[in-house]
Amino acid sequence: MTENSNITPEETLEPAKEEALQTAAEETAEQPAEAESSAPAPSEEEAKSADTEAAAPAETMDDYKDELEASFKQIHEGDILTGTVIGVSETEITLDLRYYTDGIIRLEDFSSDPNFNLAEDVHVGDEISATVIRRDDGAGHILLSAKEANEVLAWDKLRTYLKEGTNLTVKVGGIVKSGVIAYVEGIRGFIPASKLSLHYVEDLEEWLGKTIEVRVITADEEDNHLVLSAREILREKEAEEKKARISNVEIGLVTEGTVESIQPYGAFIDLGNGLSGLVHISQISEKRIKSPSAVLKVGDKVKVKVINVKDGKLSLSMKALNDVATEEIHEEEVELPQTESLSTSLGSLFKNLKL
């Protein structure tokens, strides 16, 4: 028997197995290099695209953390949710709540305004807050009410409108005994007849359906009392228009007007076209008077001269017209010939008179 007669078959195969494994490993390592050398070189655009993909950060679960948390949040009846309008019909609105299902607001749960039209007044993309009234409407959607949410949120908005003097556009939707009705943020508001216009309103029916600008003048949540007014806005607009007209009036203009009121310090003269000015007591007459009423009365037609325009106000004078008249008369005086004397006696005048 030789020296290797005690070596087992497994021991005899072990070196060969190791060699085969080593060879396979070397071939495997060489394959990518061979494949790379045989593959065509990438184009410049492909190289740029590959670099961009390599530079872009890989998306992780953290990138969707907010969406995931929103989809698993617990929703209870009475919660106020805010969603984005993704669908509008004549009878309901569909909201994206970033939840596993959408929210539905029916027309009757959106507004108490009988003239409100979902299809016209609500648009895709609008954000709306509403209260959960049922977690399942029977079709797998969350049933919401904007009216209930408005009751919670609207009064805060109305108080802000009141504080900031916000101009609001509303549509007159009803007539009552002493005014009209309009809705703001889903809350019924009252506009007294005296607050609709700068002038007396005789027929309230003419205002039905009109769109007007108003401001909140009373917002009492406890008594559910919302009062609106258009008068303040109209006054401001009138004042701006009047100021613009006054700025075009030239000093020295002589015009006619009507005495509209008399005060201890002077008289106000209506010049027409919404303009009026003050004739101070010192500008009424050349003579000193104790009261404007000693010379003028309401309704008198008078001629006045504009003597000043300042801060949107016209200062007028009646006395200045006497100066103008005097100047005109002086200019029209006939001068005597130089051969005649201003001291001509009465005898000289009758000297050549034949009887």
Side-chain angles (χ1 to χ4, degrees):
M1 181 179 271
T2 64
E3 295 180 1
N4 296 328
S5 58
N6 293 327
I7 298 176
T8 63
E10 289 80 1
E11 292 174 335
T12 304
L13 293 173
E14 191 64 28
K17 182 178 179 181
E18 291 179 359
E19 184 178 355
L21 290 173
Q22 181 65 31
T23 302
E26 291 174 356
E27 290 176 353
T28 302
E30 291 174 357
Q31 283 178 358
E34 292 176 358
E36 184 177 349
S37 62
S38 61
S43 65
E44 184 177 349
E45 292 182 358
E46 291 173 339
K48 288 181 179 179
S49 177
D51 291 341
T52 302
E53 291 177 359
E59 292 183 342
T60 67
M61 293 300 289
D62 288 338
D63 297 323
Y64 300 96
K65 181 179 179 181
D66 293 339
E67 286 79 359
L68 286 170
E69 288 182 356
S71 66
F72 288 110
K73 66 185 176 184
Q74 293 294 318
I75 290 180
H76 304 91
E77 293 181 4
D79 288 350
I80 295 178
L81 306 179
T82 299
T84 304
V85 176
I86 57 175
V88 182
S89 71
E90 294 183 355
T91 59
E92 65 182 29
I93 300 169
T94 304
L95 293 183
D96 177 10
L97 301 173
R98 296 176 65 191
Y99 198 57
Y100 74 88
T101 187
D102 297 328
I104 298 293
I105 306 177
R106 299 172 302 194
L107 173 60
E108 60 268 27
D109 293 321
F110 192 87
S111 174
S112 299
D113 185 350
N115 297 309
F116 191 85
N117 188 306
L118 286 180
E120 293 180 2
D121 299 328
V122 180
H123 308 90
V124 172
D126 290 349
E127 283 200 350
I128 295 175
S129 295
T131 302
V132 177
I133 55 178
R134 197 157 66 241
R135 288 189 294 174
D136 190 338
D137 65 350
H141 300 122
I142 298 172
L143 192 61
L144 304 165
S145 172
K147 285 200 299 187
E148 289 193 16
N150 279 341
E151 291 294 326
V152 177
L153 303 174
W155 286 105
D156 287 338
K157 290 184 180 180
L158 293 171
R159 282 188 288 269
T160 300
Y161 295 153
L162 172 62
K163 181 179 178 181
E164 297 180 355
T166 306
N167 289 1
L168 306 168
T169 300
V170 299
K171 186 176 182 180
V172 176
I175 307 294
V176 292
K177 184 178 180 180
S178 56
V180 300
I181 300 300
Y183 286 80
V184 180
E185 301 294 340
I187 303 298
R188 183 179 186 269
F190 172 64
I191 310 174
S194 61
K195 299 293 186 179
L196 274 172
S197 173
L198 293 176
H199 311 290
Y200 175 73
V201 175
E202 186 173 352
D203 186 5
L204 288 172
E205 293 292 337
E206 294 180 355
W207 291 82
L208 187 62
K210 279 189 176 182
T211 298
I212 59 175
E213 272 194 306
V214 297
R215 285 181 187 157
V216 176
I217 58 174
T218 302
D220 187 345
E221 181 180 4
E222 186 175 344
D223 292 334
N224 197 33
H225 194 48
L226 174 64
V227 183
L228 312 171
S229 173
R231 193 176 183 87
E232 286 73 15
I233 298 174
L234 294 174
R235 277 179 176 168
E236 290 176 4
K237 288 184 177 180
E238 183 184 54
E240 290 175 2
E241 292 171 359
K242 181 179 178 180
K243 189 174 181 179
R245 290 195 298 270
I246 288 177
S247 66
N248 292 325
V249 176
E250 295 182 359
I251 295 176
L253 172 70
V254 176
T255 185
E256 187 177 71
T258 303
V259 178
E260 62 180 358
S261 70
I262 294 177
Q263 306 297 330
Y265 50 84
F268 285 95
I269 311 300
D270 180 7
L271 303 177
N273 196 28
L275 296 180
S276 65
L278 173 67
V279 179
H280 190 267
I281 188 171
S282 63
Q283 293 295 325
I284 292 177
S285 174
E286 290 183 340
K287 297 179 181 180
R288 188 171 182 176
I289 58 177
K290 292 183 178 181
S291 170
S293 59
V295 179
L296 301 171
K297 64 179 182 294
V298 174
D300 282 353
K301 298 287 184 181
V302 295
K303 281 191 175 181
V304 293
K305 179 180 180 180
V306 178
I307 59 174
N308 195 16
V309 180
K310 185 178 180 181
D311 298 329
K313 298 178 181 179
L314 296 177
S315 295
L316 309 175
S317 175
M318 294 171 61
K319 184 176 73 173
L321 291 176
N322 295 329
D323 297 336
V324 172
T326 302
E327 291 173 4
E328 290 175 350
I329 292 171
H330 177 73
E331 290 175 357
E332 292 176 359
E333 285 182 347
V334 178
E335 295 182 1
L336 293 173
Q338 293 181 357
T339 55
E340 294 187 21
S341 173
L342 292 175
S343 61
T344 302
S345 66
L346 184 61
S348 299
L349 291 173
F350 287 95
K351 182 174 65 174
N352 298 323
L353 182 64
K354 295 179 180 182
L355 300 173

